[in-house]
Amino acid sequence: KNQVEQSPQSLIILEGKNCTLQCNYTVSPFSNLRWYKQDTGRGPVSLTIMTFSENTKSNGRYTATLDADTKQSSLHITASQLSDSASYICVTGNKLVFGAGTILRVKS
Amino acid sequence: ETGVTQTPRHLVMGMTNKKSLKCEQHLGHNAMYWYKQSAKKPLELMFVYSLEERVENNSVPSRFSPECPNSSHLFLHLHTLQPEDSALYLCASSQWTQAYEQYFGPGTRLTVT
């Protein structure tokens, strides 16, 4: 069954700290892997899109990694800010299978 | 959020009502999508339109009826909904197919009473 599992379900960190969110997938065929940020009450916004040949991709303080062999991806957030509080969603597969997301809360 | 807009942003309706959700994209894209997002669950793809033709219908109950009059507009007509249909309904658009980056609207928060 095509699945995308994200961990942790939720996370609270202090402003300025780094954090890493995990995504494991069993989806096949694989086209690309995406990370989205979704603020409360808003639609998801794309952070990164990686093809299977890319190992890492950055977008400002966000860095995504991909290991296509182990079918794992991570999203690393550096020097977190209050505005990073949101749900982070991992998506992959030709038919776009979505993970349930990790809810991140950054506290001052 | 000017790329993909959705109206209304919030909707409360009774189970016997008929209402419609509207989505408009200003990005020149060819594909449009309806998603359902329930609390703590992954986004569920409902319908996919490409060049105004429905190309995917993921076993969605007939009480949800999509309409795509042109490549910039997408509607979701609702009738005789159930309380479990309460969710955030998101519209998205992309160039050509799901392989391309999708741009989401802000969503319509629907509550069925």
Side-chain angles (χ1 to χ4, degrees), chain B residues 77-110:
Chain B
H77 304 299
L78 316 171
H79 64 96
T80 59
L81 294 191
Q82 304 297 312
E84 59 264 29
D85 296 323
S86 298
L88 181 68
Y89 289 84
L90 291 161
C91 173
S93 71
S94 72
Q95 195 68 279
W96 301 119
T97 69
Q98 294 176 60
Y100 291 81
E101 183 171 355
Q102 292 191 344
Y103 293 81
F104 286 84
T108 294
R109 173 66 63 187
L110 173 67

PDB file of all heavy atoms in Angstrom, chain B residues 77-110:
ATOM      1  N   HIS B  77     -19.981  21.617  -6.261  1.00  0.00           N
ATOM      2  CA  HIS B  77     -21.380  21.754  -5.858  1.00  0.00           C
ATOM      3  C   HIS B  77     -21.697  20.720  -4.785  1.00  0.00           C
ATOM      4  O   HIS B  77     -21.349  19.542  -4.921  1.00  0.00           O
ATOM      5  CB  HIS B  77     -22.300  21.568  -7.069  1.00  0.00           C
ATOM      6  CG  HIS B  77     -22.007  22.504  -8.198  1.00  0.00           C
ATOM      7  ND1 HIS B  77     -22.088  23.871  -8.069  1.00  0.00           N
ATOM      8  CD2 HIS B  77     -21.600  22.260  -9.481  1.00  0.00           C
ATOM      9  CE1 HIS B  77     -21.760  24.452  -9.218  1.00  0.00           C
ATOM     10  NE2 HIS B  77     -21.463  23.497 -10.088  1.00  0.00           N
ATOM     11  N   LEU B  78     -22.347  21.200  -3.730  1.00  0.00           N
ATOM     12  CA  LEU B  78     -22.600  20.371  -2.561  1.00  0.00           C
ATOM     13  C   LEU B  78     -24.103  20.227  -2.335  1.00  0.00           C
ATOM     14  O   LEU B  78     -24.844  21.222  -2.411  1.00  0.00           O
ATOM     15  CB  LEU B  78     -21.980  21.018  -1.316  1.00  0.00           C
ATOM     16  CG  LEU B  78     -20.572  21.591  -1.456  1.00  0.00           C
ATOM     17  CD1 LEU B  78     -20.191  22.391  -0.218  1.00  0.00           C
ATOM     18  CD2 LEU B  78     -19.580  20.472  -1.707  1.00  0.00           C
ATOM     19  N   HIS B  79     -24.563  19.010  -2.059  1.00  0.00           N
ATOM     20  CA  HIS B  79     -25.978  18.843  -1.720  1.00  0.00           C
ATOM     21  C   HIS B  79     -26.156  17.622  -0.826  1.00  0.00           C
ATOM     22  O   HIS B  79     -25.471  16.611  -0.976  1.00  0.00           O
ATOM     23  CB  HIS B  79     -26.832  18.734  -2.989  1.00  0.00           C
ATOM     24  CG  HIS B  79     -26.534  17.528  -3.821  1.00  0.00           C
ATOM     25  ND1 HIS B  79     -27.253  16.348  -3.737  1.00  0.00           N
ATOM     26  CD2 HIS B  79     -25.596  17.313  -4.751  1.00  0.00           C
ATOM     27  CE1 HIS B  79     -26.763  15.478  -4.598  1.00  0.00           C
ATOM     28  NE2 HIS B  79     -25.758  16.033  -5.220  1.00  0.00           N
ATOM     29  N   THR B  80     -27.073  17.742   0.114  1.00  0.00           N
ATOM     30  CA  THR B  80     -27.394  16.692   1.096  1.00  0.00           C
ATOM     31  C   THR B  80     -26.143  16.124   1.721  1.00  0.00           C
ATOM     32  O   THR B  80     -25.911  14.901   1.718  1.00  0.00           O
ATOM     33  CB  THR B  80     -28.267  15.576   0.493  1.00  0.00           C
ATOM     34  OG1 THR B  80     -27.570  14.980  -0.612  1.00  0.00           O
ATOM     35  CG2 THR B  80     -29.584  16.115   0.044  1.00  0.00           C
ATOM     36  N   LEU B  81     -25.304  17.008   2.257  1.00  0.00           N
ATOM     37  CA  LEU B  81     -24.068  16.565   2.880  1.00  0.00           C
ATOM     38  C   LEU B  81     -24.326  15.977   4.265  1.00  0.00           C
ATOM     39  O   LEU B  81     -25.401  16.161   4.851  1.00  0.00           O
ATOM     40  CB  LEU B  81     -23.091  17.740   2.999  1.00  0.00           C
ATOM     41  CG  LEU B  81     -22.559  18.318   1.696  1.00  0.00           C
ATOM     42  CD1 LEU B  81     -21.420  19.284   1.984  1.00  0.00           C
ATOM     43  CD2 LEU B  81     -22.090  17.234   0.736  1.00  0.00           C
ATOM     44  N   GLN B  82     -23.302  15.280   4.766  1.00  0.00           N
ATOM     45  CA  GLN B  82     -23.343  14.661   6.080  1.00  0.00           C
ATOM     46  C   GLN B  82     -22.396  15.406   7.011  1.00  0.00           C
ATOM     47  O   GLN B  82     -21.434  16.033   6.556  1.00  0.00           O
ATOM     48  CB  GLN B  82     -22.927  13.197   5.971  1.00  0.00           C
ATOM     49  CG  GLN B  82     -23.754  12.385   4.983  1.00  0.00           C
ATOM     50  CD  GLN B  82     -25.208  12.313   5.387  1.00  0.00           C
ATOM     51  OE1 GLN B  82     -25.529  12.028   6.537  1.00  0.00           O
ATOM     52  NE2 GLN B  82     -26.106  12.595   4.452  1.00  0.00           N
ATOM     53  N   PRO B  83     -22.610  15.314   8.329  1.00  0.00           N
ATOM     54  CA  PRO B  83     -21.692  15.995   9.264  1.00  0.00           C
ATOM     55  C   PRO B  83     -20.231  15.590   9.066  1.00  0.00           C
ATOM     56  O   PRO B  83     -19.337  16.425   9.251  1.00  0.00           O
ATOM     57  CB  PRO B  83     -22.222  15.563  10.632  1.00  0.00           C
ATOM     58  CG  PRO B  83     -23.682  15.332  10.407  1.00  0.00           C
ATOM     59  CD  PRO B  83     -23.780  14.741   9.020  1.00  0.00           C
ATOM     60  N   GLU B  84     -19.983  14.342   8.654  1.00  0.00           N
ATOM     61  CA  GLU B  84     -18.579  13.907   8.455  1.00  0.00           C
ATOM     62  C   GLU B  84     -17.927  14.549   7.240  1.00  0.00           C
ATOM     63  O   GLU B  84     -16.722  14.378   7.012  1.00  0.00           O
ATOM     64  CB  GLU B  84     -18.496  12.376   8.334  1.00  0.00           C
ATOM     65  CG  GLU B  84     -19.296  11.790   7.189  1.00  0.00           C
ATOM     66  CD  GLU B  84     -20.668  11.302   7.625  1.00  0.00           C
ATOM     67  OE1 GLU B  84     -21.224  11.857   8.598  1.00  0.00           O
ATOM     68  OE2 GLU B  84     -21.176  10.363   6.990  1.00  0.00           O
ATOM     69  N   ASP B  85     -18.711  15.283   6.468  1.00  0.00           N
ATOM     70  CA  ASP B  85     -18.151  16.027   5.336  1.00  0.00           C
ATOM     71  C   ASP B  85     -17.550  17.349   5.780  1.00  0.00           C
ATOM     72  O   ASP B  85     -16.925  18.051   4.963  1.00  0.00           O
ATOM     73  CB  ASP B  85     -19.229  16.286   4.277  1.00  0.00           C
ATOM     74  CG  ASP B  85     -19.752  15.003   3.654  1.00  0.00           C
ATOM     75  OD1 ASP B  85     -18.946  14.066   3.458  1.00  0.00           O
ATOM     76  OD2 ASP B  85     -20.967  14.932   3.394  1.00  0.00           O
ATOM     77  N   SER B  86     -17.737  17.703   7.028  1.00  0.00           N
ATOM     78  CA  SER B  86     -17.130  18.928   7.562  1.00  0.00           C
ATOM     79  C   SER B  86     -15.615  18.805   7.479  1.00  0.00           C
ATOM     80  O   SER B  86     -15.034  17.826   7.967  1.00  0.00           O
ATOM     81  CB  SER B  86     -17.552  19.148   9.016  1.00  0.00           C
ATOM     82  OG  SER B  86     -18.955  19.306   9.120  1.00  0.00           O
ATOM     83  N   ALA B  87     -14.978  19.773   6.840  1.00  0.00           N
ATOM     84  CA  ALA B  87     -13.526  19.717   6.614  1.00  0.00           C
ATOM     85  C   ALA B  87     -13.089  21.014   5.950  1.00  0.00           C
ATOM     86  O   ALA B  87     -13.896  21.887   5.658  1.00  0.00           O
ATOM     87  CB  ALA B  87     -13.173  18.529   5.715  1.00  0.00           C
ATOM     88  N   LEU B  88     -11.787  21.091   5.693  1.00  0.00           N
ATOM     89  CA  LEU B  88     -11.229  22.177   4.891  1.00  0.00           C
ATOM     90  C   LEU B  88     -11.122  21.673   3.456  1.00  0.00           C
ATOM     91  O   LEU B  88     -10.510  20.630   3.213  1.00  0.00           O
ATOM     92  CB  LEU B  88      -9.850  22.583   5.421  1.00  0.00           C
ATOM     93  CG  LEU B  88      -9.142  23.727   4.684  1.00  0.00           C
ATOM     94  CD1 LEU B  88      -9.883  25.047   4.912  1.00  0.00           C
ATOM     95  CD2 LEU B  88      -7.693  23.848   5.137  1.00  0.00           C
ATOM     96  N   TYR B  89     -11.740  22.375   2.528  1.00  0.00           N
ATOM     97  CA  TYR B  89     -11.694  21.983   1.120  1.00  0.00           C
ATOM     98  C   TYR B  89     -10.723  22.901   0.392  1.00  0.00           C
ATOM     99  O   TYR B  89     -10.911  24.113   0.346  1.00  0.00           O
ATOM    100  CB  TYR B  89     -13.096  22.003   0.502  1.00  0.00           C
ATOM    101  CG  TYR B  89     -13.929  20.861   1.032  1.00  0.00           C
ATOM    102  CD1 TYR B  89     -14.605  20.974   2.235  1.00  0.00           C
ATOM    103  CD2 TYR B  89     -13.966  19.640   0.362  1.00  0.00           C
ATOM    104  CE1 TYR B  89     -15.321  19.905   2.765  1.00  0.00           C
ATOM    105  CE2 TYR B  89     -14.687  18.564   0.870  1.00  0.00           C
ATOM    106  CZ  TYR B  89     -15.356  18.707   2.078  1.00  0.00           C
ATOM    107  OH  TYR B  89     -16.058  17.643   2.599  1.00  0.00           O
ATOM    108  N   LEU B  90      -9.697  22.276  -0.155  1.00  0.00           N
ATOM    109  CA  LEU B  90      -8.621  23.022  -0.799  1.00  0.00           C
ATOM    110  C   LEU B  90      -8.667  22.828  -2.307  1.00  0.00           C
ATOM    111  O   LEU B  90      -8.857  21.717  -2.795  1.00  0.00           O
ATOM    112  CB  LEU B  90      -7.261  22.550  -0.284  1.00  0.00           C
ATOM    113  CG  LEU B  90      -6.941  22.899   1.165  1.00  0.00           C
ATOM    114  CD1 LEU B  90      -5.836  22.010   1.697  1.00  0.00           C
ATOM    115  CD2 LEU B  90      -6.536  24.354   1.280  1.00  0.00           C
ATOM    116  N   CYS B  91      -8.460  23.904  -2.999  1.00  0.00           N
ATOM    117  CA  CYS B  91      -8.320  23.879  -4.449  1.00  0.00           C
ATOM    118  C   CYS B  91      -6.845  24.102  -4.782  1.00  0.00           C
ATOM    119  O   CYS B  91      -6.142  24.827  -4.060  1.00  0.00           O
ATOM    120  CB  CYS B  91      -9.179  24.987  -5.057  1.00  0.00           C
ATOM    121  SG  CYS B  91      -8.969  25.226  -6.833  1.00  0.00           S
ATOM    122  N   ALA B  92      -6.384  23.478  -5.839  1.00  0.00           N
ATOM    123  CA  ALA B  92      -5.003  23.682  -6.274  1.00  0.00           C
ATOM    124  C   ALA B  92      -4.956  23.707  -7.796  1.00  0.00           C
ATOM    125  O   ALA B  92      -5.885  23.232  -8.467  1.00  0.00           O
ATOM    126  CB  ALA B  92      -4.091  22.575  -5.738  1.00  0.00           C
ATOM    127  N   SER B  93      -3.883  24.257  -8.326  1.00  0.00           N
ATOM    128  CA  SER B  93      -3.696  24.233  -9.775  1.00  0.00           C
ATOM    129  C   SER B  93      -2.240  23.935 -10.069  1.00  0.00           C
ATOM    130  O   SER B  93      -1.360  24.108  -9.212  1.00  0.00           O
ATOM    131  CB  SER B  93      -4.098  25.570 -10.412  1.00  0.00           C
ATOM    132  OG  SER B  93      -3.175  26.593 -10.088  1.00  0.00           O
ATOM    133  N   SER B  94      -1.991  23.456 -11.279  1.00  0.00           N
ATOM    134  CA  SER B  94      -0.619  23.187 -11.714  1.00  0.00           C
ATOM    135  C   SER B  94      -0.577  23.243 -13.229  1.00  0.00           C
ATOM    136  O   SER B  94      -1.603  23.207 -13.911  1.00  0.00           O
ATOM    137  CB  SER B  94      -0.127  21.818 -11.236  1.00  0.00           C
ATOM    138  OG  SER B  94      -0.774  20.775 -11.958  1.00  0.00           O
ATOM    139  N   GLN B  95       0.628  23.308 -13.724  1.00  0.00           N
ATOM    140  CA  GLN B  95       0.821  23.234 -15.166  1.00  0.00           C
ATOM    141  C   GLN B  95       0.703  21.774 -15.567  1.00  0.00           C
ATOM    142  O   GLN B  95       1.415  20.930 -15.059  1.00  0.00           O
ATOM    143  CB  GLN B  95       2.209  23.798 -15.515  1.00  0.00           C
ATOM    144  CG  GLN B  95       2.396  24.118 -16.965  1.00  0.00           C
ATOM    145  CD  GLN B  95       1.534  25.287 -17.408  1.00  0.00           C
ATOM    146  OE1 GLN B  95       0.345  25.125 -17.689  1.00  0.00           O
ATOM    147  NE2 GLN B  95       2.115  26.466 -17.464  1.00  0.00           N
ATOM    148  N   TRP B  96      -0.194  21.456 -16.454  1.00  0.00           N
ATOM    149  CA  TRP B  96      -0.369  20.126 -17.018  1.00  0.00           C
ATOM    150  C   TRP B  96      -0.785  19.066 -16.018  1.00  0.00           C
ATOM    151  O   TRP B  96      -1.959  18.759 -15.889  1.00  0.00           O
ATOM    152  CB  TRP B  96       0.894  19.700 -17.772  1.00  0.00           C
ATOM    153  CG  TRP B  96       1.240  20.629 -18.872  1.00  0.00           C
ATOM    154  CD1 TRP B  96       2.388  21.364 -18.996  1.00  0.00           C
ATOM    155  CD2 TRP B  96       0.447  20.986 -20.015  1.00  0.00           C
ATOM    156  NE1 TRP B  96       2.333  22.135 -20.144  1.00  0.00           N
ATOM    157  CE2 TRP B  96       1.138  21.927 -20.782  1.00  0.00           C
ATOM    158  CE3 TRP B  96      -0.845  20.596 -20.446  1.00  0.00           C
ATOM    159  CZ2 TRP B  96       0.653  22.484 -21.958  1.00  0.00           C
ATOM    160  CZ3 TRP B  96      -1.344  21.153 -21.617  1.00  0.00           C
ATOM    161  CH2 TRP B  96      -0.598  22.079 -22.354  1.00  0.00           C
ATOM    162  N   THR B  97       0.144  18.433 -15.308  1.00  0.00           N
ATOM    163  CA  THR B  97      -0.215  17.249 -14.524  1.00  0.00           C
ATOM    164  C   THR B  97       0.290  17.356 -13.095  1.00  0.00           C
ATOM    165  O   THR B  97       0.954  18.312 -12.716  1.00  0.00           O
ATOM    166  CB  THR B  97       0.408  15.979 -15.139  1.00  0.00           C
ATOM    167  OG1 THR B  97       1.837  16.052 -14.957  1.00  0.00           O
ATOM    168  CG2 THR B  97       0.092  15.877 -16.607  1.00  0.00           C
ATOM    169  N   GLN B  98      -0.006  16.305 -12.307  1.00  0.00           N
ATOM    170  CA  GLN B  98       0.410  16.278 -10.900  1.00  0.00           C
ATOM    171  C   GLN B  98       1.922  16.218 -10.756  1.00  0.00           C
ATOM    172  O   GLN B  98       2.437  16.412  -9.663  1.00  0.00           O
ATOM    173  CB  GLN B  98      -0.221  15.077 -10.210  1.00  0.00           C
ATOM    174  CG  GLN B  98      -1.731  15.172 -10.115  1.00  0.00           C
ATOM    175  CD  GLN B  98      -2.341  13.930  -9.518  1.00  0.00           C
ATOM    176  OE1 GLN B  98      -2.039  13.560  -8.395  1.00  0.00           O
ATOM    177  NE2 GLN B  98      -3.224  13.270 -10.254  1.00  0.00           N
ATOM    178  N   ALA B  99       2.643  15.926 -11.840  1.00  0.00           N
ATOM    179  CA  ALA B  99       4.099  15.895 -11.742  1.00  0.00           C
ATOM    180  C   ALA B  99       4.676  17.287 -11.549  1.00  0.00           C
ATOM    181  O   ALA B  99       5.814  17.432 -11.114  1.00  0.00           O
ATOM    182  CB  ALA B  99       4.694  15.250 -12.997  1.00  0.00           C
ATOM    183  N   TYR B 100       3.877  18.293 -11.883  1.00  0.00           N
ATOM    184  CA  TYR B 100       4.340  19.665 -11.757  1.00  0.00           C
ATOM    185  C   TYR B 100       3.937  20.227 -10.398  1.00  0.00           C
ATOM    186  O   TYR B 100       3.021  19.736  -9.745  1.00  0.00           O
ATOM    187  CB  TYR B 100       3.754  20.528 -12.875  1.00  0.00           C
ATOM    188  CG  TYR B 100       4.300  20.182 -14.230  1.00  0.00           C
ATOM    189  CD1 TYR B 100       3.804  19.091 -14.948  1.00  0.00           C
ATOM    190  CD2 TYR B 100       5.316  20.937 -14.809  1.00  0.00           C
ATOM    191  CE1 TYR B 100       4.311  18.763 -16.190  1.00  0.00           C
ATOM    192  CE2 TYR B 100       5.821  20.616 -16.053  1.00  0.00           C
ATOM    193  CZ  TYR B 100       5.317  19.524 -16.739  1.00  0.00           C
ATOM    194  OH  TYR B 100       5.816  19.202 -17.971  1.00  0.00           O
ATOM    195  N   GLU B 101       4.608  21.291  -9.999  1.00  0.00           N
ATOM    196  CA  GLU B 101       4.342  21.903  -8.701  1.00  0.00           C
ATOM    197  C   GLU B 101       2.907  22.393  -8.635  1.00  0.00           C
ATOM    198  O   GLU B 101       2.396  23.003  -9.577  1.00  0.00           O
ATOM    199  CB  GLU B 101       5.296  23.062  -8.451  1.00  0.00           C
ATOM    200  CG  GLU B 101       5.115  23.709  -7.077  1.00  0.00           C
ATOM    201  CD  GLU B 101       6.201  24.709  -6.773  1.00  0.00           C
ATOM    202  OE1 GLU B 101       7.142  24.840  -7.582  1.00  0.00           O
ATOM    203  OE2 GLU B 101       6.109  25.375  -5.730  1.00  0.00           O
ATOM    204  N   GLN B 102       2.255  22.111  -7.504  1.00  0.00           N
ATOM    205  CA  GLN B 102       0.885  22.544  -7.295  1.00  0.00           C
ATOM    206  C   GLN B 102       0.853  23.789  -6.424  1.00  0.00           C
ATOM    207  O   GLN B 102       1.620  23.922  -5.474  1.00  0.00           O
ATOM    208  CB  GLN B 102       0.070  21.444  -6.620  1.00  0.00           C
ATOM    209  CG  GLN B 102      -0.163  20.240  -7.500  1.00  0.00           C
ATOM    210  CD  GLN B 102      -1.178  19.285  -6.915  1.00  0.00           C
ATOM    211  OE1 GLN B 102      -1.495  19.349  -5.736  1.00  0.00           O
ATOM    212  NE2 GLN B 102      -1.717  18.410  -7.739  1.00  0.00           N
ATOM    213  N   TYR B 103      -0.053  24.677  -6.747  1.00  0.00           N
ATOM    214  CA  TYR B 103      -0.253  25.899  -5.976  1.00  0.00           C
ATOM    215  C   TYR B 103      -1.649  25.820  -5.372  1.00  0.00           C
ATOM    216  O   TYR B 103      -2.632  25.628  -6.100  1.00  0.00           O
ATOM    217  CB  TYR B 103      -0.119  27.131  -6.872  1.00  0.00           C
ATOM    218  CG  TYR B 103       1.292  27.310  -7.393  1.00  0.00           C
ATOM    219  CD1 TYR B 103       1.746  26.582  -8.487  1.00  0.00           C
ATOM    220  CD2 TYR B 103       2.172  28.199  -6.777  1.00  0.00           C
ATOM    221  CE1 TYR B 103       3.037  26.731  -8.957  1.00  0.00           C
ATOM    222  CE2 TYR B 103       3.468  28.362  -7.246  1.00  0.00           C
ATOM    223  CZ  TYR B 103       3.890  27.616  -8.336  1.00  0.00           C
ATOM    224  OH  TYR B 103       5.173  27.762  -8.797  1.00  0.00           O
ATOM    225  N   PHE B 104      -1.708  25.973  -4.063  1.00  0.00           N
ATOM    226  CA  PHE B 104      -2.968  25.807  -3.349  1.00  0.00           C
ATOM    227  C   PHE B 104      -3.635  27.139  -3.044  1.00  0.00           C
ATOM    228  O   PHE B 104      -2.964  28.153  -2.824  1.00  0.00           O
ATOM    229  CB  PHE B 104      -2.733  25.074  -2.023  1.00  0.00           C
ATOM    230  CG  PHE B 104      -2.463  23.615  -2.180  1.00  0.00           C
ATOM    231  CD1 PHE B 104      -1.185  23.154  -2.462  1.00  0.00           C
ATOM    232  CD2 PHE B 104      -3.488  22.685  -2.042  1.00  0.00           C
ATOM    233  CE1 PHE B 104      -0.934  21.795  -2.613  1.00  0.00           C
ATOM    234  CE2 PHE B 104      -3.242  21.326  -2.177  1.00  0.00           C
ATOM    235  CZ  PHE B 104      -1.962  20.874  -2.470  1.00  0.00           C
ATOM    236  N   GLY B 105      -4.957  27.104  -3.002  1.00  0.00           N
ATOM    237  CA  GLY B 105      -5.723  28.226  -2.491  1.00  0.00           C
ATOM    238  C   GLY B 105      -5.792  28.166  -0.981  1.00  0.00           C
ATOM    239  O   GLY B 105      -5.292  27.223  -0.365  1.00  0.00           O
ATOM    240  N   PRO B 106      -6.438  29.162  -0.358  1.00  0.00           N
ATOM    241  CA  PRO B 106      -6.501  29.225   1.107  1.00  0.00           C
ATOM    242  C   PRO B 106      -7.502  28.245   1.707  1.00  0.00           C
ATOM    243  O   PRO B 106      -7.487  28.011   2.908  1.00  0.00           O
ATOM    244  CB  PRO B 106      -6.924  30.660   1.371  1.00  0.00           C
ATOM    245  CG  PRO B 106      -7.693  31.037   0.152  1.00  0.00           C
ATOM    246  CD  PRO B 106      -7.042  30.335  -0.986  1.00  0.00           C
ATOM    247  N   GLY B 107      -8.370  27.690   0.872  1.00  0.00           N
ATOM    248  CA  GLY B 107      -9.326  26.717   1.385  1.00  0.00           C
ATOM    249  C   GLY B 107     -10.656  27.322   1.802  1.00  0.00           C
ATOM    250  O   GLY B 107     -10.757  28.530   2.066  1.00  0.00           O
ATOM    251  N   THR B 108     -11.670  26.468   1.830  1.00  0.00           N
ATOM    252  CA  THR B 108     -12.982  26.816   2.386  1.00  0.00           C
ATOM    253  C   THR B 108     -13.222  25.908   3.575  1.00  0.00           C
ATOM    254  O   THR B 108     -13.195  24.675   3.437  1.00  0.00           O
ATOM    255  CB  THR B 108     -14.108  26.608   1.357  1.00  0.00           C
ATOM    256  OG1 THR B 108     -13.954  27.530   0.284  1.00  0.00           O
ATOM    257  CG2 THR B 108     -15.471  26.813   2.016  1.00  0.00           C
ATOM    258  N   ARG B 109     -13.432  26.504   4.746  1.00  0.00           N
ATOM    259  CA  ARG B 109     -13.737  25.723   5.952  1.00  0.00           C
ATOM    260  C   ARG B 109     -15.232  25.454   5.959  1.00  0.00           C
ATOM    261  O   ARG B 109     -16.032  26.364   6.112  1.00  0.00           O
ATOM    262  CB  ARG B 109     -13.340  26.508   7.202  1.00  0.00           C
ATOM    263  CG  ARG B 109     -13.765  25.854   8.519  1.00  0.00           C
ATOM    264  CD  ARG B 109     -13.057  24.544   8.784  1.00  0.00           C
ATOM    265  NE  ARG B 109     -11.615  24.707   8.930  1.00  0.00           N
ATOM    266  CZ  ARG B 109     -10.775  23.680   9.024  1.00  0.00           C
ATOM    267  NH1 ARG B 109     -11.226  22.443   8.976  1.00  0.00           N
ATOM    268  NH2 ARG B 109      -9.479  23.901   9.159  1.00  0.00           N
ATOM    269  N   LEU B 110     -15.615  24.201   5.742  1.00  0.00           N
ATOM    270  CA  LEU B 110     -17.021  23.808   5.652  1.00  0.00           C
ATOM    271  C   LEU B 110     -17.463  23.100   6.922  1.00  0.00           C
ATOM    272  O   LEU B 110     -16.792  22.181   7.400  1.00  0.00           O
ATOM    273  CB  LEU B 110     -17.228  22.863   4.456  1.00  0.00           C
ATOM    274  CG  LEU B 110     -18.622  22.242   4.324  1.00  0.00           C
ATOM    275  CD1 LEU B 110     -19.644  23.318   4.007  1.00  0.00           C
ATOM    276  CD2 LEU B 110     -18.636  21.169   3.251  1.00  0.00           C
TER     277      LEU B 110
END
